[in-house]
């Protein structure tokens, strides 16, 4: 029985040594990668990434902005299809650009 236990212990030790070796290789690679990225970041200024706010108000505002954009796009598509002259299309575009903030303020109560 003790020979069997010794054999199992040796197998566990060999497996632990293999996993420690694999872990050491991964750690060395990660350290090299971190060092390389650190050198690159010192040389090249990376842009700062800001995370999007995830609150209820932020999600609602994004949905409202998306809806406003879709309505604006629909109005432009309708103007393109229904108006045959470029003057009318440009007039609808200009009027839309000026009226979107007014409609947004009135519809969503964004006075501040």
């Amino acid at each position: 029985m003790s020979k069997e236990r010794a054999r199992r212990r040796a197998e566990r030790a060999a497996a632990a040594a293999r996993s420690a070796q694999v872990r050491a290789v991964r750690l060395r690679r990660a350290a090299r990668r971190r060092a390389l990225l650190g050198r690159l970041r010192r040389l090249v200024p990376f842009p700062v990434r800001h995370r999007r706010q995830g609150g209820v108000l932020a999600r609602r505002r994004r949905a409202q902005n998306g809806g406003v954009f879709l309505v604006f796009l629909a109005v432009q598509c309708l103007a393109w299809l229904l108006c045959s002259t470029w003057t009318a299309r440009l007039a609808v575009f200009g009027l839309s650009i000026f009226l979107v903030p007014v409609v947004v303020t009135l519809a969503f109560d964004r006075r501040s």
Side-chain angles (χ1 to χ4, degrees):
M1 195 66 168
S2 63
K3 288 182 183 180
E4 182 67 26
R5 262 188 267 152
R7 187 184 59 79
R8 287 183 188 162
R9 189 179 318 121
E11 287 175 359
R12 283 194 305 268
R18 280 192 304 270
S19 65
Q21 187 178 11
V22 168
R23 191 177 320 114
V25 168
R26 283 186 189 156
L27 287 174
R28 269 188 262 127
R29 283 182 186 163
R32 279 197 317 257
R33 187 177 304 124
R34 275 194 306 271
L36 176 65
L37 284 176
R39 287 192 304 266
L40 283 176
R41 284 196 178 111
R42 276 185 243 120
L43 293 175
V44 178
F46 284 93
V48 177
R49 294 184 182 174
H50 299 288
R51 286 185 39 183
R52 184 190 320 191
Q53 291 183 353
V56 175
L57 295 176
R59 271 186 274 144
R60 182 172 29 176
R61 184 159 186 143
R62 277 194 300 276
Q64 289 173 353
N65 288 342
V68 167
F69 177 73
L70 287 177
V71 169
F72 177 80
L73 194 64
V75 167
Q76 297 309 308
C77 288
L78 283 174
W80 184 269
L81 293 174
L82 298 177
C83 300
S84 60
T85 64
W86 279 97
T87 308
R89 291 173 182 167
L90 288 175
V92 169
F93 179 73
L95 196 60
S96 298
I97 290 293
F98 284 117
L99 285 181
V100 163
V102 173
V103 171
V104 167
T105 302
L106 292 175
F108 302 126
D109 194 26
R110 294 186 188 170
R111 285 176 276 186
S112 57

